[in-house]
Amino acid sequence: LSMPTITPQKCSQMLEQVGIQRKKIVAFFQKLMTDTSKHLLIDITHVFSQSQQLGLNQKGYNAQWEFRPQVNFLCLYGYEQQMPLYYRVLSGDISDVKTLKNAIAESGVKQCVVIGDKGFNSEENRKYLAEEGLHYVMPLKRDSSLIEEDRLRQSDKREWTGFFIYQDRPIWYYRYKKDNRWIYVFFDGHLQAEEERDYLLRIEKQYEGYNIENYHSIQHRFGTLAIITNVEEDEGKKIYEMYKSRHAIEQMYDVFKNVLEADRMYVRDKETLEGWMFVHYLAMVYWYRIQRKLKEKKMESQHSPKDI
């Protein structure tokens, strides 16, 4: 039997033919989004591209503060399914706060908790999610005016709501309601010591912007995490665990960029880019299904998804 001839041109044609069928791709996503999709992690990652014809690869900042031509991918990750459920290709210069509405509408998500990062936490996004009947768990910046800091400035915790144990560490918290949203303020003493040490070392090494005056003004914020949510939940531990589940989407990006080696791409048009992303998306789905099978068979110490 003769093997079929595979050429770069044939691969590009195939990717383009897949990429023009976005409606079918979205229908595929929606089959994966079952009624068990209760917690969705949302985030954006970037892929660099120097293509002169693509158009979407615009200069934009990323987590590494690199201002280079890039394409952004917005992803929804299903925490219950432990796998990515949806993606949307975005121009590299579009900020995340402008994209949430279209992504949620296209994905068809209903009745879930959207867990985002600071980039998605805007009044506009929170209002949209609430109007759509969706719940959210979002972190606040430490200098947010929504955070009541009086209790943080005091060492006495008798006025705090309580504490719980997370990964063998005590986490104290207090909560209050503001404009019909709950705000939780968490305090991790172990993290406080690490952050304080790091800040003082930077003062010692004379890093620009680090001085003892600033230290005194922000020291009460070390080791804290503030969450704003419209989830009605009495236990602070559950809200904390919801947000901490975000490590799963960070692992997904590690698989995408390092295992699949998708941190660079060489495509010339939007349709081929869409096909390229869908092929990589399918590869991630297989990766997670293999990982789940290995866990079920208790074979994680013998094999890895990458090996297979």
Side-chain angles (χ1 to χ4, degrees):
L1 295 175
S2 61
M3 293 294 290
T5 303
I6 300 176
T7 66
Q9 183 180 8
K10 286 186 177 180
C11 287
S12 292
Q13 289 172 350
M14 181 274 291
L15 293 177
E16 183 180 9
Q17 289 166 7
V18 171
I20 62 177
Q21 303 180 73
R22 176 68 183 179
K23 288 185 178 179
K24 290 186 177 180
I25 291 174
V26 172
F28 180 82
F29 296 150
Q30 291 173 347
K31 286 184 178 180
L32 294 178
M33 288 199 190
T34 64
D35 292 337
T36 61
S37 305
K38 299 300 182 184
H39 298 86
L40 293 177
L41 314 178
I42 186 168
D43 206 348
I44 281 182
T45 191
H46 65 277
V47 175
F48 295 121
S49 173
Q50 297 292 337
S51 173
Q52 300 298 314
Q53 300 171 318
L54 185 56
L56 285 173
N57 54 328
Q58 300 296 315
K59 288 185 177 181
Y61 284 112
N62 49 64
Q64 290 73 43
W65 291 95
E66 297 170 296
F67 194 61
R68 296 166 57 187
Q70 63 188 35
V71 174
N72 286 334
F73 296 108
L74 181 148
C75 297
L76 292 176
Y77 180 95
Y79 187 68
E80 284 80 10
Q81 293 92 335
Q82 290 289 295
M83 60 184 284
L85 299 178
Y86 169 92
Y87 74 81
R88 185 179 178 89
V89 180
L90 306 168
S91 175
D93 59 349
I94 291 180
S95 63
D96 7 13
V97 295
K98 299 177 182 177
T99 62
L100 181 61
K101 184 173 182 178
N102 290 338
I104 293 292
E106 184 182 50
S107 69
V109 170
K110 302 292 182 185
Q111 301 297 320
C112 74
V113 179
V114 177
I115 303 168
D117 64 0
K118 292 183 177 68
F120 284 97
N121 186 23
S122 68
E123 188 64 41
E124 180 184 2
N125 280 350
R126 295 195 301 264
K127 182 179 178 182
Y128 169 73
L129 290 171
E131 288 174 349
E132 292 297 308
L134 298 171
H135 292 101
Y136 58 82
V137 173
M138 304 278 188
L140 292 171
K141 294 181 179 179
R142 286 184 172 177
D143 60 353
S144 171
S145 60
L146 294 172
I147 301 174
E148 296 177 2
E149 296 186 327
D150 289 347
R151 278 175 274 193
L152 286 178
R153 298 177 187 274
Q154 301 172 5
S155 58
D156 191 339
K157 292 186 172 56
R158 277 178 287 190
E159 294 185 10
W160 290 48
T161 306
F163 76 94
F164 54 86
I165 303 299
Y166 179 80
Q167 296 183 351
D168 295 327
R169 286 154 65 163
I171 309 294
W172 286 89
Y173 76 98
Y174 59 90
R175 69 170 190 160
Y176 53 92
K177 213 163 192 178
K178 204 163 194 174
D179 300 328
N180 293 318
R181 286 92 47 96
W182 283 104
I183 295 176
Y184 288 78
V185 180
F186 300 96
F187 172 77
D188 180 342
H190 184 79
L191 180 61
Q192 179 200 36
E194 289 181 355
E195 292 183 346
E196 184 175 50
R197 175 181 177 276
D198 179 69
Y199 196 96
L200 294 175
L201 283 174
R202 289 169 183 258
I203 293 177
E204 183 73 16
K205 294 178 181 179
Q206 298 183 340
Y207 278 48
E208 185 177 354
Y210 291 81
N211 54 65
I212 197 64
E213 290 77 18
N214 283 341
Y215 165 80
H216 287 308
S217 66
I218 66 171
Q219 59 179 313
H220 61 282
R221 296 174 182 166
F222 291 145
T224 63
L225 168 67
I227 297 289
I228 185 168
T229 180
N230 60 350
V231 176
E232 290 290 338
E233 175 57 64
D234 293 333
E235 295 184 36
K237 184 176 182 179
K238 291 185 178 179
I239 297 296
Y240 190 81
E241 289 177 337
M242 280 186 198
Y243 180 71
K244 287 297 182 177
S245 69
R246 281 192 54 80
H247 72 84
I249 205 167
E250 294 167 3
Q251 183 198 45
M252 182 191 75
Y253 288 148
D254 180 65
V255 172
F256 180 66
K257 293 187 175 182
N258 297 321
V259 179
L260 303 183
E261 299 180 354
D263 56 338
R264 297 287 190 280
M265 63 180 173
Y266 306 93
V267 297
R268 294 187 176 183
D269 55 64
K270 297 176 183 178
E271 292 76 19
T272 306
L273 168 60
E274 185 74 56
W276 179 91
M277 183 58 194
F278 187 62
V279 168
H280 283 79
Y281 170 80
L282 290 178
M284 285 196 291
V285 170
Y286 275 106
W287 191 93
Y288 278 100
R289 288 185 171 178
I290 291 170
Q291 184 186 57
R292 187 160 63 240
K293 285 293 182 182
L294 290 174
K295 285 182 179 179
E296 290 172 1
K297 302 294 183 180
K298 298 182 179 179
M299 298 172 65
E300 293 173 280
S301 62
Q302 301 167 263
H303 305 284
S304 73
K306 185 176 180 179
D307 294 336
I308 294 172

